[in-house]
Amino acid sequence: MVSELRVDKIHNEGGDNDSGIDLSTNDVVKINIAGAEKARVDSSGRVSVGTASADASALVTLNKSTTAAFGNPVLQVGGSTYTSGGYYSVGLGYTNSTYTEPPAEIAYVPTSDSGGTKGVLVFGTRNATTNTAVTERMRIDASGHVFVGATAEFVDSSGSSAKGIQLHSDGLVIASRDGSVSAIFGRSS
């Protein structure tokens, strides 16, 4: 019986020998596929998938430690690559080789690349059992306004609108149906 095995790398025996586990860096376990690093676990227990570092450039980072406030997420989706209007999403629900589109998604969509960026949080679902992408159902913007059935403020200075509900962080509530405002609550004028 072997009580200890010391190796720096473990590679697949058949084929092109370019996939395996790399232990050659102290306190880091790397998973290589097709000759490139695809995942790693570092000495602090962070797991990164899709990148060689468990930091802000990570596509997905799992942290084992938590804090009492925002700023150190257990799951980080996104990284140092900014895509205007790009969806940094998490899919929820059943998928398989036939049904590849998840039935629900939550996503961050950046609206500005200034500094550390800012954006909106969107929620999507689908109302079909087919393999179709979700449709946005709700959005929270950077000001804290909530839009249900709408993607932005839909009442402009002329009073025209689309359908949906707006819940503003200052208490203003606007409901619209069929292109006309049906109710405004909390209006000061």
Side-chain angles (χ1 to χ4, degrees):
M1 172 164 57
V2 176
S3 61
E4 186 174 310
L5 177 64
R6 293 177 182 241
V7 296
D8 282 337
K9 295 182 180 181
I10 302 170
H11 289 280
N12 58 322
E13 184 177 335
D16 53 13
N17 298 313
D18 63 356
S19 297
I21 299 173
D22 183 346
L23 306 168
S24 63
T25 305
N26 285 339
D27 303 321
V28 175
V29 176
K30 303 173 193 174
I31 298 174
N32 297 316
I33 299 174
E37 183 176 328
K38 302 299 182 183
R40 76 166 41 199
V41 180
D42 70 13
S43 61
S44 66
R46 291 178 296 194
V47 177
S48 296
V49 178
T51 183
S53 60
D55 60 15
S57 65
L59 299 174
V60 177
T61 300
L62 302 172
N63 295 309
K64 68 176 184 174
S65 60
T66 60
T67 62
F70 286 122
N72 186 27
V74 174
L75 173 63
Q76 166 68 40
V77 177
S80 60
T81 303
Y82 171 79
T83 303
S84 179
Y87 280 62
Y88 297 87
S89 70
V90 175
L92 306 168
Y94 174 77
T95 60
N96 65 18
S97 61
T98 304
Y99 296 97
T100 58
E101 300 279 349
E105 287 186 65
I106 301 171
Y108 167 74
V109 181
T111 58
S112 170
D113 66 349
S114 178
T117 76
K118 70 175 185 174
V120 299
L121 183 63
V122 298
F123 298 81
T125 61
R126 68 172 180 232
N127 65 353
T129 58
T130 58
N131 189 38
T132 55
V134 302
T135 300
E136 183 176 325
R137 306 296 184 190
M138 186 173 80
R139 168 179 294 228
I140 303 172
D141 73 8
S143 301
H145 299 162
V146 178
F147 304 94
V148 179
T151 59
E153 293 192 42
F154 50 74
V155 177
D156 61 25
S157 59
S158 69
S160 66
S161 65
K163 64 181 180 178
I165 298 173
Q166 294 179 37
L167 307 170
H168 289 237
S169 58
D170 62 1
L172 178 67
V173 177
I174 303 171
S176 176
R177 181 176 180 187
D178 299 328
S180 62
V181 174
S182 55
I184 299 177
F185 302 98
R187 188 173 185 173
S188 60
S189 59

